[in-house]
Amino acid sequence: MNCSRESGLRALLSRLLHELNKANVSLGALPGDDAAPPEEPRGEDAYLYILLIMIFYAVLAGGLILAYTRSRKQESKSDPYHLYIEREWARGARERAAEAQRERPPGGAECQQLL
């Protein structure tokens, strides 16, 4: 194509402009609307983000507190482990008392005062 002809060049440019306008309309822009779309103010949803983060941490803390209190409730005196410790310590205390009783002679304090 010879670009030296002015009419052919105008026809080519008008056809390109027409195709570009069709592409803009299909993308949502209006033909002839050269102004930039209005920008939304930034940070309008910041309060929503902060609220969601606070709710997340509140649920997390509540879950931890609930789990801790339930675990403390489950440790009761009827737990076999606690019964074992109580029984063994009581047996050990009785054995120590009996051993101390055997080491002391009967009436030991009175005998020592007489000597």
Side-chain angles (χ1 to χ4, degrees):
M1 173 178 193
N2 189 357
C3 289
S4 61
R5 293 186 321 172
E6 190 176 313
S7 62
L9 187 57
R10 284 190 190 271
L12 177 65
L13 290 176
S14 65
R15 178 78 177 153
L16 284 173
L17 183 61
H18 179 70
E19 291 296 323
L20 283 173
N21 283 338
K22 275 202 302 189
N24 282 341
V25 168
S26 68
L27 291 176
L30 297 173
D33 187 17
D34 294 336
E39 291 185 22
E40 294 180 14
R42 299 183 76 191
E44 277 190 14
D45 294 331
Y47 70 93
L48 184 63
Y49 175 74
I50 292 170
L51 182 66
L52 287 175
I53 295 298
M54 288 175 63
I55 289 172
F56 170 74
Y57 282 115
V59 168
L60 182 67
L64 289 174
I65 291 170
L66 185 65
Y68 177 75
T69 55
R70 285 186 178 216
S71 73
R72 297 303 292 171
K73 254 186 219 177
Q74 289 175 356
E75 289 182 11
S76 64
K77 294 295 181 184
S78 63
D79 186 17
Y81 180 69
H82 290 293
L83 292 174
Y84 167 75
I85 290 175
E86 186 177 321
R87 198 171 41 240
E88 289 301 312
W89 285 1
R91 184 184 311 166
R94 281 191 306 255
E95 288 174 359
R96 283 191 301 271
E99 194 174 302
Q101 193 67 266
R102 277 182 263 146
E103 289 177 0
R104 257 190 319 185
E110 297 169 17
C111 291
Q112 293 208 4
Q113 285 180 354
L114 293 177
L115 292 175

